[in-house]
Amino acid sequence: MPLPELPAYKVLLTIFVLWWLLPSNDYQTQSVALSDLVVSRLSHYRACLDVLNTTRWGDFAPLGAAGNDSKGNDNGDHASPRYVNLTGFREEDRFSWQDLGRFRERGLRLSHHAMPAVGGEQLWDVGEGAPVWANASGVLLGQWVRLQESEPRTYDSYNLSQSVPSMHWIGDKTEWGRNVTGGTGRIQVRLTGNETVTAYDQLPKTDAPLSGGSIRNVKAVVTFEDTGGTGLSWEMVLFGAHWPRQGVVIMTTTSEKFDGIFGLPHLTPGPDYFQSSQRLLNQSLEQTIAAKEKSIYSDQSIPWKSNFDNPLHTRSPSPHCEYVMYVQIHPPSRQDLGLGPTVSKGEDVAEMLQAIESELESPLGAPIKHIPKLQMSAVIYSPDCNIFLETKGPPDFPASEADHLLGVKIEVQISSINHWLLAYAVVMFGQVVLLKGQIRETYTPSTLARASFWTISMMLIADGMTFTAAASWVATAHYTFLPTLTLTFASFMSMTIGGSLLAKIYEVQTPAPRAGRDGPQAADGRNSGSASTATSTPLTPTPDGTGTGTAPAAVTTTGPILPGPVTAGRGLGDPAVANLDAAANIMDGASAVPGVATPAAARLAPPSTPTFQSLMGRFLLLGALVMFIGGSSIAWYMTVRSWFLNICAFVYLSMWIPQIHRNIMRNCRRALKWQFVIGQSVLRLLPLAYFWLKPDNFLLTRTEPRAFAMLALWVWVQIFVLATQDAVGPRFGIPKGWMPDAWDYHPVLREDNIEAGGLPIGLGVEDSPARDRRRSSEDKDKVGLGGGGSTRAIDCAICREVLEVPFVKAGEEDMSVTGVFARRAYMVTPCRHIFHTPCLESWMKFRLQCPICREDLPPI
Ligand SMILES: *[C@@H]1O[C@H](CO)[C@@H](O)[C@H](O)[C@H]1NC(C)=O
Ligand SMILES: *[C@@H]1O[C@H](CO)[C@@H](O)[C@H](O)[C@H]1NC(C)=O
Ligand SMILES: *[C@@H]1O[C@H](CO)[C@@H](O)[C@H](O)[C@H]1NC(C)=O
Ligand SMILES: *[C@@H]1O[C@H](CO)[C@@H](O)[C@H](O)[C@H]1NC(C)=O
Ligand SMILES: *[C@@H]1O[C@H](CO)[C@@H](O)[C@H](O)[C@H]1NC(C)=O
Ligand SMILES: *[C@@H]1O[C@H](CO)[C@@H](O)[C@H](O)[C@H]1NC(C)=O
Ligand SMILES: *[C@@H]1O[C@H](CO)[C@@H](O)[C@H](O)[C@H]1NC(C)=O
Ligand SMILES: *[C@@H]1O[C@H](CO)[C@@H](O)[C@H](O)[C@H]1NC(C)=O
Ligand SMILES: [Zn+2]
Ligand SMILES: [Zn+2]
């Protein structure tokens, strides 16, 4: 390919692809410089691991041992605070640990609420509470409320260059990330537990609360929306431990200024939790560090990273608020399990839960009536920004208002995603069926010329985006592989079939794919030909190439008298018409210069018209751009993001606007089948309805019923306009000057035109055959369909049936709607022949020529 002609979109595409690929190259060049840093960070982790290994329960007591924070802690009656040598847990870091006692207290309170005391004894304290799900992996949604902090903190409270001198902090003297300032908001939790559970020996009962004898490590992605405050939504990753028997999860963020995961055991509710988590973490952290040490050069990503900004080690981090989270998993309610209110035996419930879980993990077809929801409550506490959040729900709020975090287990989530992906694939197949139906109807150049290129393009872009997303997801989709593959296939079908329809439309409309170029300039010479001369006169090219065929203007004078403008439609320069003519000529065996129109067409086509392939390239780029911006919109302000998504949806659902425009410009009543229009509208609204209306959709997006109602209304309005165009004509109620002239096939026929000779051949006074004249004089006084006029009868040349033509009386204006409908029954050609509307319309699907005199007809 010659370089100078490289279109802009290809350059952009190249840049885009390069940009996509470059970061991986960046890693390679950075790696040598980074490895020093990685080595020092890893040795820091080693030191932290040593501290974790050597500290004991009670070594971290920032409030002094006098506090009530640690039940059963008897190894220190002295009031002096104690710290451990971990970043963030040291005295000089000056973290706000005042609320640590409150954190434990509130957590304990939630646990006691989730597992109420039986017979006055808190079974939770002795590790014998009601049975809960053993595997807590799942997706949950709820609301958080902020509690009053004891001592507000700002970024000025810290000197990060002092507490972490090895780092060059960026933005530590402005507001930190994840700083929640609002009072309430939404919270999403995606919890993933390790598959293997580690068993350990519990401490004796005197050291209550006990932790239940088994532990596993967990990871959670928590997103909280700060609607009332910063207007941002923050996403963070926490790591920690899960005690399945107790249903307790404790997690923390880890960063350069907070060795959270190494200090986690010190934040647990009691010594039993401390010991079990210390042993688990000692082991699993050691494994992680060892793995990182082995691959210093190839893998420089930060372990236990809490945000998604930059996965690599860096010397200049930016500070975020650190969080510690205590989660209590609730036991499923008895009604949810299908049990009666009377307590029979606790073991029943445990066995049922186990049966449900094992069936979920490895389905064997065991009968499960109903899978209870996953419910959790949580306390979230930031020891540096001093933010104290709790999930909203009982006992502080009535359960009817908010019920902590509600969600489903991961297996249920995956199967629901699979169902919805399949449903989407079915929607896509529906689109394929509609497209095929439309193609069956739209295959002649004349029908193809009516459809709007941009309407079909918008559908194609959306399908292409679905296909791209599904195809790139399918490679990594373990659990959703088959449905994703089905969706990939369905969207591919929809894309290719839509693309083939679009290619045909493009081919027909090439010189100017946009509607609106149907100006009158191209059609001046040809519509004025008379019936008698046009049949016998071959087209002759004019030297200037604009008017391609000039028939001897025998009846030219009748032109202006005919109602409506005679200049109409597209000239012969339009390849659609040209091809049609050529085809018709060949079919008829006529020798009338089939190649005439071709040079004119070539001359008329603007040299800059992009090829179909390059247009598709632009669409690809546009789709990729929209997807990229959409993907990066996660970090935007929530209102901005919501506006962006709504505007994208609005633009997408405005797909009928180009068709409406084209109908007006070409004076065409209907271009697409009604099944197609309504079916496509509904099918394309359905996926949006899922995300805009369903609160527990699998992306957990915020629902916007009002925005969706507006979108649906907008689509409905467009369909209504299309229906109006079909019923009363596309130009009904639009000022004349606004659009180019087009031939009006349904003109008002006036009695005062009879004398002037401007009426369709066969209806005028001077040329009506005797039979028709007789009949028309008989019917003269009859009140016609036109309301106030008379009707005349004539034979339709196509079907040979009688055609009743309503007339408007001399001197009267006919603006009534019944008149509009009555005029729809007949069609008058520029050559003054008149036919039944259905007859001529079906004829014109194949040939844009008058059936009687072979004069070219402007397309409808
Ligand atoms: C942990 O501490 C024990 C003694 O309490 C010591 O033997 C062991 O080497 C330490 N392990 C690590 C990884 O430091
Ligand atoms: C300590 O516990 C007592 C009751 O056991 C309670 O009244 C008091 O508020 C607690 N103090 C703190 C600092 O938590
Ligand atoms: C804390 O640990 C660091 C290494 O991470 C060490 O250099 C320092 O001496 C320790 N401080 C105390 C008081 O043990
Ligand atoms: C958090 O936001 C509050 C209110 O805007 C501000 O006063 C405080 O300094 C911020 N904290 C941090 C650590 O940036
Ligand atoms: C922060 O600590 C550094 C190093 O100890 C010191 O030079 C600087 O003055 C401190 N800044 C403030 C604001 O205290
Ligand atoms: C899961 O736990 C096992 C045993 O504790 C450990 O070997 C494995 O690395 C853990 N897996 C993850 C992903 O943490
Ligand atoms: C669920 O937990 C059980 C034991 O509690 C374990 O055997 C199983 O592998 C876990 N499954 C998953 C998917 O975590
Ligand atoms: C931590 O792990 C090391 C071996 O990696 C072991 O020697 C040590 O006893 C463990 N410490 C604790 C407290 O479990
Ligand atoms: Zn007919
Ligand atoms: Zn004709």
Side-chain angles (χ1 to χ4, degrees), residues 51-97:
V51 174
L52 171 69
N53 186 9
T54 50
T55 49
R56 290 187 306 142
W57 176 245
D59 282 355
F60 182 66
L63 306 176
N68 303 7
D69 48 12
S70 50
K71 287 198 176 183
N73 170 23
D74 55 357
N75 56 357
D77 287 328
H78 44 86
S80 69
R82 302 169 70 181
Y83 295 91
V84 294
N85 190 11
L86 294 169
T87 317
F89 293 83
R90 297 171 303 189
E91 185 169 15
E92 65 261 36
D93 295 326
R94 297 208 295 271
F95 270 37
S96 153
W97 289 111

Side-chain angles (χ1 to χ4, degrees), residues 795-803 825 834-840:
D795 280 346
C796 165
I798 298 175
C799 65
R800 311 244 165 244
E801 301 279 327
V802 173
L803 167 60
I834 186 161
F835 307 96
H836 285 124
T837 297
C839 296
L840 189 63

Side-chain angles (χ1 to χ4, degrees), residues 143-200:
Q143 281 187 302
W144 56 263
V145 283
R146 187 173 180 155
L147 305 183
Q148 197 56 48
E149 298 80 30
S150 55
E151 179 197 13
R153 287 290 176 115
T154 66
Y155 47 85
D156 275 335
S157 320
Y158 302 99
N159 188 350
L160 290 183
S161 46
Q162 188 185 8
S163 43
V164 193
S166 57
M167 294 290 159
H168 177 258
W169 290 91
I170 290 177
D172 58 331
K173 291 298 168 202
T174 59
E175 282 215 10
W176 293 358
R178 298 201 294 246
N179 185 8
V180 174
T181 56
T184 180
R186 252 165 49 116
I187 178 172
Q188 295 170 19
V189 178
R190 287 155 211 268
L191 197 73
T192 322
N194 191 334
E195 274 155 31
T196 50
V197 185
T198 315
Y200 61 90

Side-chain angles (χ1 to χ4, degrees), residues 531 829 831-833 835 850-855 857:
T829 63
C831 51
R832 299 200 304 145
H833 288 117
F835 307 96
C850 174
I852 297 176
C853 64
R854 308 234 167 153
E855 178 73 0
L857 297 177

